[in-house]
Amino acid sequence: MKKSYLAVRAFVIAANIASPLAIYPAAAATPPADGLPKPSISKALDALLLPVNKAVVKKFKLAKGEHGVLVLSVKPGGVADKQGIKPGDVLSEVHGHKVHKPVDVDVAVRRDLKAGHSDVALSLERGGAVVAVAAVITMESYNEAVSVTEVSSWESDTSDASFSYSEYVSEESETIESSYESEESVVEEAMTQEESATDEESSADEADDSDDSADDGDGDDGDGGSDEE
């Protein structure tokens, strides 16, 4: 009995010592996915876009110093596909304004659509060359819903064998879905902030004009008095 008790006691002690060692290394063995930023669906382009950072430049072998958003994939028959925008392109400007993140593209396009303009000038880099795209984007195509579950089947850039697009989309599926659901509110908020800033600038300009007019008026009255004398 004594030997059995000692054997059981030794087993319990060994299990308590070993269990933390078995848990912590497994948890620490999951590094981030190559440091890639979070992707987002562009409502304007029907494309999955990725902000360009150092990790993206290295992973997708982009030119050093390249900026903008990488077109990771395009929806077959979608806006980008119809306008000749291809996976692997780096979209750098919309109407001459630089873009740094996916939502910048949709804000710029949505602003034009609100003003009644459907012609959108895009500047992108493809294989080291700058390509100008004169796209036509309508409010109807902008508002057309995208099936998030089909994003994994979109046309993607397969030039890098070390990158699995389908696996990446699977890993980032929750991020893609949540960003798509909140994208419209983010765009509207950005536009509201822009309009508020524009209104403030207009008010400031009007105030300056009023001050200038008042100064001119005072000068005229003084001159008039001198003439009468």
Side-chain angles (χ1 to χ4, degrees), residues 35-222:
L36 296 178
K38 300 299 182 182
S40 298
I41 296 174
S42 168
K43 289 172 62 68
L45 299 179
D46 296 332
L48 189 64
L49 306 180
L50 197 62
V52 173
N53 64 5
K54 291 182 179 179
V56 172
V57 170
K58 180 179 180 181
K59 184 67 178 176
F60 297 96
K61 299 177 178 60
L62 303 180
K64 187 177 181 180
E66 206 153 5
H67 72 275
V69 291
L70 174 70
V71 180
L72 200 58
S73 65
V74 298
K75 175 185 176 182
V79 175
D81 188 26
K82 290 180 179 178
Q83 302 299 330
I85 299 173
K86 305 178 182 298
D89 288 346
V90 176
L91 179 59
S92 56
E93 295 181 0
V94 178
H95 284 318
H97 298 286
K98 293 182 178 180
V99 298
H100 302 282
K101 51 187 181 296
V103 72
D104 293 342
V105 178
D106 286 6
V107 170
V109 172
R110 185 67 179 81
R111 186 193 307 121
D112 283 348
L113 290 175
K114 187 175 183 179
H117 306 304
S118 58
D119 296 330
V120 182
L122 307 174
S123 179
L124 53 88
E125 296 181 16
R126 177 185 300 160
V130 178
V131 179
V133 176
V136 176
I137 303 175
T138 64
M139 185 66 79
E140 182 181 2
S141 66
Y142 182 94
N143 289 328
E144 187 175 349
V146 169
S147 176
V148 179
T149 58
E150 296 178 358
V151 173
S152 60
S153 65
W154 285 5
E155 181 186 351
S156 61
D157 183 6
T158 57
S159 59
D160 186 357
S162 66
F163 178 76
S164 173
Y165 171 74
S166 59
E167 289 181 6
Y168 177 73
V169 171
S170 177
E171 292 172 359
E172 299 291 346
S173 59
E174 291 185 7
T175 297
I176 295 172
E177 183 173 359
S178 62
S179 64
Y180 180 68
E181 291 175 351
S182 62
E183 198 261 4
E184 186 60 25
S185 61
V186 173
V187 170
E188 290 294 339
E189 182 179 354
M191 291 180 62
T192 300
Q193 292 176 350
E194 286 184 357
E195 291 171 356
S196 298
T198 301
D199 291 341
E200 290 177 1
E201 290 178 0
S202 298
S203 298
D205 291 341
E206 290 175 1
D208 290 340
D209 292 341
S210 298
D211 291 341
D212 292 340
S213 297
D215 292 341
D216 293 341
D218 292 340
D220 291 340
D221 291 342

